[in-house]
């Protein structure tokens, strides 16, 4: 920790230095500062403020998403503590990493659950990313760090959960308006990027809300800080979202709703979207991602016993590859994950007398996922998958319960438990002239206990203990070759996670209307029976339970606001080792720090600021014969500076317009984030114009 202490002191000083002056100058200014730790969290159980949630959670709202002007989902997530992008830098090559757990080369599961409007998304293919979607579709992103989030979302969230919520018609319709239109255009200088977005929201009759959205995004490969073009960084996609909600009996909380989103990218590209290591050989990929949901909500007119949320869903992530002569005599090949899902959940509230209340959440989930990989040769022969990418089906069932015991605004106790069952069925993949007939069943129990106690109005303590399991998937059980068998005896991974932390919450401390919030989390996650793809001798399986790992670290979030001024920072320190060998894990990011200073004037609609990203050198790696950038090679430290400005006229003919300018990597720094296989983008000017009418 010797290296980190000076940086922590520096960050604290940078936040604190301007406080006294601003508190004196703006003591009587209107309070317009947006505090991230005061935001409502909706994914961790009943709604609660982030700083009062006994779990590490970060939230991006619509204003954050607009300010970032993201090209990829990774651009949205990079600024959150403990969250990193792993692998590629483009929209087709990005995986994700939370607290040192993520998609390493050769892994078949990133141990992070990704959901879109409650629908679980999953994709795995050699040298491809984990999620294909468009940032403009979303109004909210919540990241729940740590395995305690498994209770409500499913076995497998050893690292955490990332929830994406799509836009709604009500986000654009003012009271009584039957129609609203939002048009948006954006451009970037580095990769000659262009984005067009259109949204139509309508309320044809009271209680019926409809939304349609289209997004067009194009960019070339960007240039890094030294002026070199970075392969596999280009963007080409089109996306649609159609969403509707019908309230029943005039009660918005009793409604039927549905959404459908469609994302397509179809272009020539390099085979390796992670590191572009396959050189200039191009192929054509048509990547198609679909998500459809039909939901039903009913609060039974404010009943305390029944508040039901139910949904059925369909998800498809499919990659169609052609022009692949360099891979052999293939006409085309498809890689797809198609799933059907259902979930029902009820929340009950019980008044225990005095200031005591209890909330009970009970629910169940079911899903069927089919993994297919037809490979069609030029002579018409169809091969169902390969030994290292086998076909198969996975059926999952889960039941869960979470109790929230609340005493006034001082104490929250949150026990929970989840039971999951997993059935795997081998597909038609032929290896050595044989087809597997294996059926593998697993089950697991994931309990947790979390609590938060506010000792004073300004100081609180929280902690949690959680055990989570991740059961093997199709790839891990059925992968084999002519010389190496599959492994039907794999054991589920088990995670024992411990967290403690404290919160600070001060109002009117240095001046009237000022606010200070801070949340610090210390964690340790012990994982045993870790499933690893190993290079081993003939006759031994590819995937084996050989590893015991420990991940531990510290996350700090702090912010101060007075009047329109705000200072916001976070820091993350993570270590990870193989406990059997003592080797460092190559999925551990560099220690990093982010600081934002800005000012927002509510009267004029003007805002702007500076964001700094700082990372230490990361040399705690274990080099090996397969070490490469982003996995096993050290990286130097770096500092990157960004500027952002926005203008939202509050009156006059320009009211309703929104103008944004940003400069990323102001000094054109050449750098690579530790878990990325490719260099980051050099200096980039961003311009956005939007109008809602």
């Amino acid at each position: 920790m010797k290296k980190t202490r000076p940086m922590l002191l520096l960050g604290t000083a940078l936040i604190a230095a301007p406080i006294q002056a601003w508190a004196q100058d703006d003591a009587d200014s209107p309070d317009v500062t947006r505090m991230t730790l005061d935001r409502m969290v909706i994914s961790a159980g009943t709604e609660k403020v982030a700083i009062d949630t006994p779990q590490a959670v970060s939230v991006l709202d619509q204003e954050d998403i607009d300010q970032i002007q993201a090209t990829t989902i990774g651009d949205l997530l990079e600024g959150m503590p403990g969250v990193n992008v792993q692998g590629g830098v483009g929209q087709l090559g990005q995986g994700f990493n939370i607290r040192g757990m993520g998609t390493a080369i050769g892994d078949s599961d990133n141990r992070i659950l990704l959901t879109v409007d409650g629908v679980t998304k999953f994709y795995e293919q050699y040298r491809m990313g984990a999620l294909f979607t468009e940032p403009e579709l979303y109004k909210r992103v919540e990241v729940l760090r740590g395995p305690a989030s498994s209770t409500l979302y499913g076995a497998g969230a050893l690292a955490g959960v990332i929830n994406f919520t799509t836009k709604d018609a009500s986000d654009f319709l003012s009271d009584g308006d039957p129609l609203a239109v939002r048009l948006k255009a954006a451009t970037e200088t580095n990769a000659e990027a262009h984005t067009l977005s259109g949204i139509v929201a309508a309320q044809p009759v009271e209680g019926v809300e409809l939304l349609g959205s289209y997004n067009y995004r194009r960019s070339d490969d960007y240039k890094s800080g030294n002026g070199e073009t970075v392969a596999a960084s280009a963007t080409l996609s089109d996306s649609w979202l159609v969403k509707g909600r019908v309230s029943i009996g005039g009660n918005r909380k009793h409604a039927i709703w549905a959404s459908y989103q469609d994302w397509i990218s179809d272009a020539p590209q390099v085979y390796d979207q992670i590191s572009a290591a396959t050189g200039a050989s191009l192929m054509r990929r048509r990547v198609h991602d679909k998500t459809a949901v039909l939901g039903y909500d009913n609060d039974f007119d404010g009943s305390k016993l029944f508040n039901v949320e139910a949904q059925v869903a369909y998800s498809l992530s499919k990659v169609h590859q052609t022009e692949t002569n360099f891979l052999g005599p293939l006409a085309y090949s498809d890689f797809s994950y198609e799933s059907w899902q259902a979930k029902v959940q009820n929340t009950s509230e019980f008044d225990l007398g005095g200031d005591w209340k209890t909330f009970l959440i009970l629910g169940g989930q079911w899903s069927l996922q089919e993994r297919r990989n037809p490979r069609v040769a030029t002579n018409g022969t169809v091969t169902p998958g390969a030994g290292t990418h086998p076909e198969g089906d996975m059926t999952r069932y889960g039941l869960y319960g979470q109790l929230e015991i609340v005493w006034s605004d001082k104490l929250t106790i949150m026990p929970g438990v989840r039971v999951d069952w997993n059935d795997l069925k081998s597909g038609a993949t032929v290896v050595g002239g044989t087809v597997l007939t294996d059926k593998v069943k697993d089950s697991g129990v994931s309990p947790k206990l979390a609590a938060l106690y506010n000792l004073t109005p300004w100081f609180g303590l929280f902690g949690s203990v959680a055990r989570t399991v991740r059961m093997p998937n199709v790839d891990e059980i059925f992968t084999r070759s002519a010389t190496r068998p599959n492994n039907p005896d794999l054991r589920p991974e088990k995670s024992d996670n411990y967290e403690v932390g404290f919160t600070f919450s001060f109002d009117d401390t240095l001046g009237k209307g000022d606010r200070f919030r801070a949340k610090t989390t210390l964690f340790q996650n012990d994982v045993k029976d870790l499933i690893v793809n190993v290079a081993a001798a003939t006759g031994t399986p590819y995937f084996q339970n050989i590893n015991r790992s420990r991940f531990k670290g510290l996350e700090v979030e702090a912010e101060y606001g007075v009047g329109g001024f705000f200072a916001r920072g976070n820091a993350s320190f993570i270590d990870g080792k193989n406990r059997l060998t003592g080797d460092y894990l190559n999925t551990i990011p560099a220690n990093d720090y982010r600081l934002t200073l800005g000012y927002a004037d509510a009267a004029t609609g003007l805002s702007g600021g500076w964001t700094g990203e700082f990372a230490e050198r990361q040399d705690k790696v274990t080099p090996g014969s397969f070490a490469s950038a982003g996995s096993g090679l050290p990286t130097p430290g770096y500092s990157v500076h960004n500027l952002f400005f926005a203008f939202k006229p509050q009156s006059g003919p320009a009211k309703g317009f929104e103008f944004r300018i940003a400069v990323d990597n102001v000094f054109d720094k050449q750098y690579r984030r530790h878990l990325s296989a490719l260099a980051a983008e050099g200096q980039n000017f961003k311009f956005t114009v939007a109008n809602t009418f």
Side-chain angles (χ1 to χ4, degrees):
M1 292 291 291
K2 290 183 178 179
K3 289 192 296 183
T4 63
R5 285 174 183 165
M7 293 300 293
L8 275 174
L9 292 173
L10 174 62
T12 303
L14 284 171
I15 291 179
I19 288 178
Q20 187 65 45
W22 280 95
Q24 292 172 350
D25 294 344
D26 288 338
D28 297 321
S29 298
D31 187 2
V32 298
T33 304
R34 300 166 54 252
M35 305 296 281
T36 61
L37 288 172
D38 281 346
R39 293 178 186 167
M40 297 301 295
V41 175
I42 61 176
S43 299
T46 59
E47 288 190 5
K48 55 183 71 66
V49 176
I51 200 169
D52 291 330
T53 303
Q55 181 179 350
V57 57
S58 298
V59 180
L60 294 177
D61 63 12
Q62 187 64 70
E63 177 63 24
D64 296 317
I65 294 170
D66 290 341
Q67 179 181 301
I68 294 170
Q69 300 181 68
T71 299
T72 67
I73 292 298
D75 295 339
L76 290 180
L77 301 177
E78 277 284 3
M80 293 183 170
V83 182
N84 291 267
V85 173
Q86 187 160 353
V89 295
Q91 60 181 354
L92 299 181
Q94 291 182 334
F96 309 106
N97 181 293
I98 298 177
R99 291 182 170 179
M101 301 188 76
T103 307
I105 293 176
D107 277 0
S108 59
D109 194 308
N110 63 12
R111 299 168 179 88
I112 298 169
L113 289 184
L114 306 170
T115 74
V116 172
D117 286 341
V119 182
T120 301
K121 305 292 292 183
F122 179 84
Y123 189 84
E124 185 277 327
Q125 180 189 344
Y126 183 66
R127 296 294 177 176
M128 288 287 285
L131 180 68
F132 311 123
T133 190
E134 164 60 48
E136 285 292 326
L137 295 171
Y138 304 109
K139 65 176 181 180
R140 186 178 183 89
V141 183
E142 293 192 9
V143 178
L144 289 79
R145 302 187 295 277
S149 52
S150 281
T151 304
L152 300 180
Y153 294 97
L158 272 65
V161 176
I162 304 176
N163 292 320
F164 298 90
T165 303
T166 55
K167 293 178 169 70
D168 288 294
S170 58
D171 302 326
F172 305 95
L173 294 168
S174 300
D175 291 340
D177 286 347
L179 182 69
V181 177
R182 178 176 172 83
L183 301 177
K184 181 176 180 179
T187 187
E188 302 177 26
T189 59
N190 189 307
E192 298 184 3
H194 305 284
T195 303
L196 298 174
S197 174
I199 296 173
V200 177
Q203 185 173 241
V205 296
E206 188 171 349
V208 177
E209 299 174 1
L210 304 172
L211 178 139
S213 170
Y214 168 71
N215 302 284
Y216 167 98
R217 187 179 294 276
R218 300 289 188 275
S219 79
D220 297 333
D221 288 327
Y222 66 64
K223 291 180 173 59
S224 62
N226 62 11
E228 294 183 358
T229 299
V230 177
S233 62
T235 297
L236 187 155
S237 66
D238 297 89
S239 58
W240 300 263
L241 170 66
V242 179
K243 199 170 184 180
R245 185 180 186 91
V246 178
S247 299
I248 300 173
N251 179 7
R252 183 172 173 76
K253 294 183 178 181
H254 185 196
I256 297 173
W257 62 275
S259 73
Y260 174 78
Q261 64 168 279
D262 198 298
W263 185 94
I264 296 177
S265 176
D266 189 349
Q269 57 193 242
V270 297
Y271 173 68
D272 181 359
Q273 287 291 304
I274 301 294
S275 63
T278 49
S281 297
L282 294 180
M283 62 185 301
R284 191 173 192 92
R285 278 195 180 104
R286 187 176 193 270
V287 183
H288 198 176
D289 192 277
K290 303 178 182 180
T291 307
V293 195
L294 176 63
Y296 175 72
D297 300 335
N298 192 349
D299 73 341
F300 291 87
D301 294 321
S303 168
K304 291 190 174 183
L305 286 180
F306 299 104
N307 189 352
V308 174
E309 300 170 276
Q311 66 179 50
V312 292
Y314 170 79
S315 172
L316 173 67
S317 298
K318 182 178 181 178
V319 175
H320 177 71
Q321 297 183 170
T322 58
E323 302 174 19
T324 55
N325 293 334
F326 62 93
L327 295 177
L330 279 176
Y332 70 88
S333 55
D334 290 336
F335 298 78
S336 68
Y337 289 83
E338 188 173 24
S339 69
W340 294 262
Q341 305 174 30
K343 180 178 181 179
V344 61
Q345 176 178 296
N346 182 67
T347 303
S348 301
E349 178 182 344
F350 303 95
D351 191 342
L352 303 182
D355 293 329
W356 290 90
K357 284 187 178 181
T358 297
F359 300 90
L360 176 62
I361 300 174
L362 297 174
Q365 287 178 280
W366 167 87
S367 68
L368 169 62
Q369 181 191 86
E370 296 180 349
R371 167 170 151 147
R372 298 292 182 264
N373 178 213
R375 305 179 182 208
V376 181
T378 51
N379 64 5
T381 302
V382 180
T383 302
T388 54
H389 192 97
E391 294 189 343
D393 299 340
M394 178 170 63
T395 305
R396 286 181 168 174
Y397 313 84
L399 296 174
Y400 59 89
Q402 178 170 292
L403 192 64
E404 299 182 24
I405 305 168
V406 181
W407 175 47
S408 184
D409 58 354
K410 297 181 69 67
L411 176 66
T412 299
I413 302 173
M414 192 183 299
V417 65
R418 183 182 183 96
V419 183
D420 287 281
W421 297 267
N422 202 43
D423 294 349
L424 299 181
K425 178 183 177 182
S426 59
T429 302
V430 180
V431 176
T434 63
V435 177
L436 293 175
T437 59
D438 295 8
K439 294 183 179 180
V440 178
K441 297 179 181 289
D442 277 307
S443 62
V445 180
S446 302
K448 76 170 182 184
L449 177 63
L452 180 144
Y453 183 66
N454 290 315
L455 280 77
T456 71
W458 52 268
F459 178 70
L461 295 172
F462 66 91
S464 67
V465 179
R467 161 164 279 217
T468 303
V469 298
R470 185 187 75 84
M471 287 166 278
N473 60 28
V474 167
D475 201 36
E476 293 162 338
I477 291 290
F478 300 127
T479 290
R480 60 189 176 126
S481 68
T483 59
R484 300 179 65 182
N486 69 305
N487 191 353
D489 299 320
L490 281 174
R491 298 181 300 278
E493 295 178 342
K494 303 170 187 68
S495 163
D496 293 308
N497 187 74
Y498 311 91
E499 296 187 17
V500 294
F502 58 86
T503 64
F504 287 111
S505 181
F506 294 102
D507 293 333
D508 301 325
T509 303
L510 300 178
K512 183 180 178 181
D514 76 342
R515 291 183 290 175
F516 174 77
R517 304 286 187 269
K519 188 172 185 177
T520 298
T521 307
L522 182 69
F523 67 88
Q524 177 176 297
N525 191 358
D526 291 332
V527 182
K528 66 179 180 179
D529 290 329
L530 198 67
I531 299 172
V532 179
N533 189 349
V534 299
T538 297
T540 58
Y542 284 88
F543 288 94
Q544 301 177 31
N545 296 105
I546 65 167
N547 204 339
R548 285 183 174 230
S549 299
R550 171 168 289 176
F551 304 82
K552 58 183 180 180
L554 175 69
E555 297 162 348
V556 180
E557 300 171 85
E559 54 188 337
Y560 176 82
V562 58
F565 169 79
F566 58 92
R568 184 176 300 130
N570 67 62
S572 178
F573 316 99
I574 304 171
D575 287 315
K577 281 188 176 183
N578 182 326
R579 298 178 67 190
L580 297 180
T581 65
D583 292 338
Y584 292 113
L585 300 174
N586 289 332
T587 59
I588 305 302
N591 293 338
D592 62 8
Y593 320 81
R594 284 176 173 80
L595 179 65
T596 297
L597 302 176
Y599 188 81
D601 183 11
T604 62
L606 284 167
S607 63
W610 161 87
T611 295
E613 176 185 346
F614 312 94
E616 295 181 7
R617 174 180 174 81
Q618 174 59 300
D619 52 13
K620 294 180 179 180
V621 296
T622 300
S625 56
F626 296 103
S628 60
S631 180
L633 294 182
T635 51
Y638 62 84
S639 60
V640 177
H641 304 271
N642 310 306
L643 300 173
F644 60 90
F645 306 93
F647 177 40
K648 299 180 182 179
Q650 301 299 296
S651 59
K655 185 177 181 180
F657 276 89
E658 178 181 317
F659 305 93
R660 293 184 183 272
I661 302 174
V663 187
D664 290 347
N665 198 352
V666 172
F667 301 110
D668 211 12
K669 177 78 172 181
Q670 171 70 19
Y671 72 104
R672 176 176 66 82
R673 294 185 174 97
H674 181 69
L675 295 180
S676 290
L678 298 167
E681 192 169 12
Q683 186 186 78
N684 186 29
F685 290 82
K686 299 179 178 181
F687 305 91
T688 297
V689 178
N691 186 21
T692 302
F693 53 91

